[in-house]
Amino acid sequence: MDPSIGWGIGANDWGTTVGQAVKLVQGPIDTQGFIRYSGGAVSYYTLSGAPLTFFNARNNNGVTIGGSFDTSGLGQAFMLQGSTVTLIDDPRGTPHSTQAWGINKYNSIVGSYLDPATGASRGYKRYSNGSFVGLNYPGAQATNPRSINDSGAVVGTYTAASGVLHGFLYFNGKWSTLDYDLSPSANLTGISNAGVILGSNFIYANGTFKLLPNVPNSTWTEFYTMSPAGLITGRAFGFNADPNVNYGFTASCK
């Protein structure tokens, strides 16, 4: 496969980026997960039987998590460690609904699944021994954890009983809401080991919010994840005012 387009979704502190690569051909669209190393070399991966495969995150030990869809449209989250694949399925969820979004150095994984009774998203943490625990904001309709740092702090979003979306931080058994009035989105997508939190267009550090600028010459920028040391991964759109031109990027905040 020689992908035509691709974008990074996560990166580690070594500058290794992972994401999804798409080949633009007639007929069904095929995607592969890709790993781009800091030296520029790229490798591709397809989960067996799954023509749609993508990577979401990679820790500093080189363990990658992602997801896939088979020809019937059934989803499957997984962890890739070397050549060993571990399927990730929270037993409480609707079959094929588990998603894996964040991983730390201990191979603890956070993500979500669909509640078979209500269809709402429920959060989980999966330990390296394969056991699962729930991560659900108290009283929320739905919870979606997105990132976990090496201290076990988790960020993501939850839908309150009122139906309003909020960002959250979970650490040492305590939940807190984190919203930025100047952001169009409540999504919290990353947290570094220093406790810096990444949102859709901002960072939060030491009690202060800071808006992040668009990538130069782009009209809109999305910020996806943050590595343990603070390397940001994202995607920028509308280069030179052309809405069809977009690029993935990594960036460090100073």
Side-chain angles (χ1 to χ4, degrees):
M1 179 177 180
D2 181 17
S4 300
I5 60 173
W7 54 91
I9 301 174
N12 63 18
D13 291 335
W14 303 107
T16 302
T17 305
V18 297
Q20 182 180 39
V22 183
K23 187 174 183 180
L24 299 180
V25 295
Q26 291 182 344
I29 295 177
D30 291 333
T31 74
Q32 288 183 312
F34 76 82
I35 302 172
R36 183 188 185 279
Y37 300 93
S38 59
V42 180
S43 64
Y44 300 96
Y45 178 79
T46 299
L47 188 68
S48 178
L52 301 179
T53 301
F54 49 90
F55 290 144
N56 290 328
R58 182 178 175 93
N59 67 16
N60 286 345
N61 298 321
V63 182
T64 305
I65 57 172
S68 67
F69 292 93
D70 66 15
T71 54
S72 299
L74 298 177
Q76 180 63 64
F78 64 90
M79 176 175 66
L80 181 65
Q81 188 169 14
S83 60
T84 301
V85 176
T86 302
L87 303 183
I88 301 171
D89 292 295
D90 193 306
R92 295 163 295 187
T94 300
H96 303 287
S97 71
T98 302
Q99 299 182 67
W101 289 108
I103 184 171
N104 67 12
K105 72 176 183 179
Y106 302 108
N107 292 347
S108 294
I109 296 168
V110 294
S112 62
Y113 62 89
L114 297 182
D115 187 323
T118 65
S121 292
R122 305 297 182 198
Y124 72 83
K125 177 179 178 180
R126 180 190 184 275
Y127 292 95
S128 59
N129 64 6
S131 62
F132 289 83
V133 296
L135 284 179
N136 294 292
Y137 195 96
Q141 292 184 25
T143 306
N144 288 282
R146 290 298 300 264
S147 180
I148 180 170
N149 70 9
D150 293 340
S151 297
V154 180
V155 295
T157 57
Y158 72 93
T159 304
S162 63
V164 177
L165 192 68
H166 299 280
F168 75 79
L169 169 65
Y170 175 80
F171 184 56
N172 282 345
K174 296 181 180 180
W175 296 87
S176 56
T177 297
L178 185 64
D179 293 328
Y180 185 28
D181 292 341
L182 297 182
S183 175
S185 171
N187 292 332
L188 301 182
T189 59
I191 182 167
S192 73
N193 282 348
V196 178
I197 296 172
L198 178 69
S200 59
N201 67 337
F202 65 88
I203 57 172
Y204 177 79
N206 300 317
T208 301
F209 291 97
K210 180 181 179 180
L211 281 172
L212 294 172
N214 284 333
V215 170
N217 301 316
S218 70
T219 57
W220 177 252
T221 301
E222 294 179 347
F223 300 90
Y224 290 156
T225 56
M226 177 177 280
S227 76
L231 183 66
I232 295 172
T233 308
R235 192 177 180 192
F237 301 81
F239 279 87
N240 301 317
D242 186 341
N244 296 315
V245 180
N246 61 86
Y247 298 98
F249 68 88
T250 57
S252 299
C253 290
K254 297 181 178 181

